[in-house]
Amino acid sequence: RAHRKPVRIVASSAARPVLNYEMLMRQGKDYSSDPRFYQYQFTGNPYKGDRPDYYAVVCDEAIEATAYNFHALFSMDGQAVPGVYLASWRRLPEAHITASGLLVRRMTDRECVVGVYKPSRMAARALRDWRYVTAYHHVIPVPGDLAPPRTSAGPYQVTSRARYDPSLAALARDTTHHAGFTISRDDPYYAWRFDSYPLAPCRYFKLLSEDTPAGYCVVLWSGGVMSIADFSVLAPAELAALVSEVLAFARSEQVRSVTLETSSQELSDFLERAFGSQAEEFRNYYHFNDRLLAARGINPDVDCLWNESTFHETAVTGDVLLR
């Protein structure tokens, strides 16, 4: 029901008004009704700069719709580009019918890159002109006997620790550069995104081949679920060694299943064969502002980038982690 009252759009980082709004509206994604989580997600975000945390439609001094800027740093063909993921995009029933669209338009006008992680079917209808990356969500059951996977894992060793290991920096950098488009991975990113994550403990697993780092993954766990939220491997055998180690760790923590997301169909097919998991296919969407990219001296051929590049979408590619 579109009302006729005047509205205004505000750009803000003030936590208190949206804290109240989230307590009214929460539907799984709870961004600011917990002040500690708001502090982590937005105030302490190292990629925020001086940009606002959210846009809101306000009528009679009350918020009617929100769209959060979850700030991120992207890598486009090897060049670092600031951007955001659209988070907590919703409105009250009495809000003007165009309220949500106005907020997203404000984002796309002001950001080089805007991403949307795993939108609902209804939300995806509004993104039909955006680029998308197909990804696959896997749920791997933790076996009771932990039999070896149906593959050769190769001559690898796996170590683990509770915090980011600086020896992974070169692998993180290579993971970013090998993909034509992805989020940038570096030491500050992992220290913030995982080591200070307030809602679940994390653990890093490092794959060694002849004492040289060959791959890694980082996991979060809560209740009966563990998530391989990010990983870097060059071959399926390396992923097999890491997943096998994570499954053993999951059993020690009395976790029943391990989830993993990847945009590599090769790795997705491999996981089905080796570990008996089933894939759920979904899409992540991206919008590029050519004018703002050109102002930064970045003029990528997005058509070519999308047709010829590889992508590295994982569970950490977006605004949502295990909660």
Side-chain angles (χ1 to χ4, degrees), residues 56 102 203 212 244 261 277:
L102 289 171
R203 193 159 195 88
T212 301
S244 297
E261 293 178 4
S277 62

Side-chain angles (χ1 to χ4, degrees), residues 233-256:
V233 295
L234 293 179
E238 297 172 350
L239 183 61
L242 285 171
V243 171
S244 297
E245 196 72 22
V246 171
L247 289 173
F249 177 69
R251 189 176 68 167
S252 72
E253 294 292 323
Q254 298 183 326
V255 170
R256 297 183 296 274

Side-chain angles (χ1 to χ4, degrees), residues 7-29:
V7 300
R8 59 190 175 93
I9 297 179
V10 299
S12 178
S13 296
R16 188 63 200 179
V18 288
L19 183 152
N20 295 339
Y21 182 79
E22 287 290 331
M23 290 180 71
L24 173 67
M25 292 288 290
R26 84 173 76 178
Q27 297 175 3
K29 289 185 177 181

